[in-house]
Amino acid sequence: MKIISTNLGKPTPFMWNGKEETTGIFKKPTGKPIFLTKNDVINDHISNRLNHAGYYKACYIFSAEQYPYWQKLYPDLDWSWGMFGENLTVADFDEREVYLGDIYKAGEALVQVSQYREPCYKLGYKFGTPQVIKQFIEHGFGGTYLSILEEGEVNIGDSFTLVERAKNSLTVAELFELVFSKDKNQELLKIAATSTAIPKKKRVWLTSLIQ
């Protein structure tokens, strides 16, 4: 896997339900390195730190291989890397083979796969329709957040290399499906209940769904 784009967002105002809000989802390629810290990405705008940034959501990555699917659905949008609000666009990133808790080397940084991405109304605003949120969930490839174990600079062309595979965990794709599916896979729920790779609050909720 390789980093093919580093992306940052500036504060962008928009109207929602009659009120002006600000979002950092309109990220654009920087063409240069970005610096990952324990809580966020330097110079990246975050308007809602309750749901973004922090230990489990310091950096968001998305697969370059998912772009053609969405470009076909929304051909009239102005497409560039960072379209989904990701800080790092990664080539050959397959969420069916990446596990929660996996540790990777990315440039100078050491990172850990930490949390699935839950789409919100701001994605719908960016794409021009709330329908994209339903489509995003149904497609099942939502990218993932990272915790930053060792801070550092990440640049275009840097590899995204597995250092340590998590034990007793779920893949990013499995967790995403488990969270959003109506009929919960009981075997996956049992794994999630005992997996320390999954954040505690989410683990407790998933445990409560075991029948």
Side-chain angles (χ1 to χ4, degrees), residues 13 23 26 36 67 72 92 98 134 141 147 149 158 187 199:
T23 179
F26 288 86
L36 312 187
Y67 269 73
K72 185 176 181 180
D92 301 318
V98 175
K134 182 173 183 290
F141 296 92
S147 293
L149 304 182
D158 284 344
E187 292 304 313

Side-chain angles (χ1 to χ4, degrees), residues 42-84:
I42 294 294
N43 295 323
D44 186 42
H45 176 74
I46 299 170
S47 59
N48 180 357
R49 286 187 175 267
L50 180 63
N51 296 308
H52 301 281
Y55 180 77
Y56 288 111
K57 296 182 178 182
C59 176
Y60 176 52
I61 68 174
F62 196 81
S63 172
E65 279 66 43
Q66 296 306 321
Y67 269 73
Y69 173 86
W70 293 103
Q71 288 172 313
K72 185 176 181 180
L73 284 180
Y74 294 92
D76 296 329
L77 295 182
D78 182 17
W79 284 91
S80 65
W81 302 125
M83 189 67 179
F84 295 89

Side-chain angles (χ1 to χ4, degrees), residues 112-147:
Q112 185 170 36
V113 177
S114 58
Q115 181 68 282
Y116 68 95
R117 188 262 183 89
E118 186 167 347
C120 72
Y121 64 95
K122 293 181 180 179
L123 181 67
Y125 174 80
K126 184 173 185 181
F127 274 70
T129 172
Q131 180 67 17
V132 71
I133 298 173
K134 182 173 183 290
Q135 293 170 329
F136 192 84
I137 292 171
E138 290 176 345
H139 186 51
F141 296 92
T144 188
Y145 287 102
L146 303 174
S147 293

Side-chain angles (χ1 to χ4, degrees), residues 161-182:
T161 305
L162 181 66
V163 173
E164 182 179 335
R165 176 69 77 194
K167 298 178 181 178
N168 188 42
S169 188
L170 303 178
T171 68
V172 174
E174 285 174 335
L175 181 59
F176 190 87
E177 181 180 3
L178 189 62
V179 168
F180 291 107
S181 63
K182 293 182 179 179

